[in-house]
Each structure stands twice: as C-alpha cells, then as structure tokens.
Amino acid sequence: MPEEEAPEEAKGCERCALARQRKRVIWGEGNPQAPLFILLDNPGARETREGETFLCGTRETLQEGLAAAGVGREEFYISYLLKCRPVRAYDKEAARNACRPHLELQLGEKKPQLLLALGNVAAQGWFGDPEAEVKALRGRWHVVQGIPTAVGYHPLAVRRRPVLRRLLAEDLEMVASRLEEWRKGAGRRQQE
C-alpha cells in the first residue's frame, strides 16, 4: 500500500525519547481519503537491514482479514498511536502523550467515517483509558470524539494465538457491514 509522507513538523519531532532511536517517522499508509481509519499501536519493521521494503506479518494478517470481509484497499487508511518504531525500552506513557497531537492532526485532516482500534494499546490510547481491553470492548460500536469506533484484536496477537482469528474476522465483518451502510448513504446523498 502507498505510504503517506509525514508532514515536515512531524519528521523533525523530538517530543519524546523515540526521536533518538528512530530511523524515520511513519505517518500512515493506504488511502488518505478512506472512510475507515485503522489505528494500531506503533509501526513494525518495514524494511530489511539493506533498506528493501517487505510486508510484515501484522500488515499481512490485517490485509488478508480486510479482504476476506470485503473491505477494499481504497476504503481504509492505517496509522499508529506512535509514529516511530520503538527499537528499545522507552517511556510508553510519555511517548503516547507526546504523539497524541500527531494523531489529532491526522484525524482532523482525514475526517474518517469510522475508526477501528486494533489491540489493547491502541484501544487504551484512543479511549484515553489505561484499563481499556479489547475483550470487553469488541463486538459493538462506541463513539469516541464523535467517531464511530470498533475495537478488535491486534493482528500480531492473532498470528500468535490462531484461536483469535475468528474473533478478528467477526470484528472486521462488523466494520465491513457499517462501511456498506455508509456507502449506501453516501450514494443517496450524491444522487440528491
């Protein structure tokens, strides 16, 4: 999927300790005008040591699940709570708080119709609740900052615990159904 370049102010961000360990800022990927904004915790490995790009397991599992649910590539955009890939220990809470303005900027620009938070960390960051858990939040819609929000298991957790694959599939199907409702509503508005 095409990667969206980070704004200049984000590329030079030094709000947290991750600035000293990152190779680059990962802003997001996919369709920047997509109705679905998918939020993960942080970017994973994206390149080999030689700098050649590859599809990591998290993104592969997510893309397979979205395709199986009928969500096309043009319908989603993937981004992160943290815009830098952590490579060693860091103050997680400080990094999330420091990176929050970047996420707010993205959401303000993109104005997604739906948001899907994947994993406990993404849910905790998005809901602003350190106790938020996928197990308690998944399977229904929530409204956070005015955006209809679904929660699902992180694709990496699904790869490690295949029993979760069915639950992620259910959550992605729930999102696909809501996207279909949105598409029908958007089509009606265009005809009017």
Side-chain angles (χ1 to χ4, degrees):
M1 289 187 298
E3 189 175 308
E4 184 180 27
E5 189 171 341
E8 289 305 317
E9 64 271 15
K11 287 180 185 177
C13 179
E14 294 190 12
R15 294 179 183 167
C16 75
L18 290 179
R20 293 184 294 282
Q21 53 177 286
R22 73 170 177 241
K23 285 188 177 180
R24 62 190 182 98
V25 172
I26 308 295
W27 195 246
E29 61 187 293
N31 177 6
Q33 288 82 42
L36 174 61
F37 190 102
I38 299 173
L39 183 64
L40 292 164
D41 48 357
N42 56 261
R46 307 171 80 78
E47 295 123 0
T48 64
R49 289 176 191 238
E50 293 78 34
E52 299 166 351
T53 60
F54 69 93
L55 183 63
C56 73
T58 294
R59 288 177 12 245
E60 181 180 44
T61 299
L62 178 56
Q63 289 178 35
E64 287 172 358
L66 288 164
V71 178
R73 285 184 175 216
E74 71 287 350
E75 295 181 297
F76 63 90
Y77 180 82
I78 300 171
S79 193
Y80 313 91
L81 282 176
L82 302 179
K83 307 304 183 196
C84 303
R85 178 178 180 239
V87 292
R88 57 184 173 276
Y90 65 101
D91 182 334
K92 293 180 169 92
E93 187 174 347
R96 289 180 200 144
N97 290 335
C99 225
R100 184 69 185 210
H102 296 312
L103 178 61
E104 299 295 339
L105 174 67
Q106 278 184 308
L107 293 170
E109 289 176 344
K110 297 181 183 343
K111 298 179 182 11
Q113 300 299 309
L114 306 171
L115 188 139
L116 172 61
L118 293 174
N120 285 337
V121 173
Q124 290 162 4
W126 177 236
F127 282 76
D129 178 0
E131 304 298 318
E133 289 189 341
V134 171
K135 188 175 8 178
L137 295 169
R138 65 166 295 278
R140 63 189 189 283
W141 289 96
H142 311 268
V143 177
V144 181
Q145 296 187 23
I147 303 172
T149 298
V151 177
Y153 285 101
H154 193 288
L156 187 56
V158 170
R159 288 177 76 87
R160 290 178 179 159
R161 296 179 48 209
V163 69
L164 299 176
R165 187 171 295 276
R166 178 183 56 79
L167 299 177
L168 177 61
E170 288 173 7
D171 294 330
L172 295 176
E173 287 167 10
M174 183 180 84
V175 168
S177 177
R178 188 76 175 253
L179 267 176
E180 182 61 28
E181 290 172 20
W182 176 82
R183 274 188 231 109
K184 288 178 181 174
R188 277 195 302 273
R189 285 190 296 280
Q190 286 178 350
Q191 291 174 354
E192 294 171 355

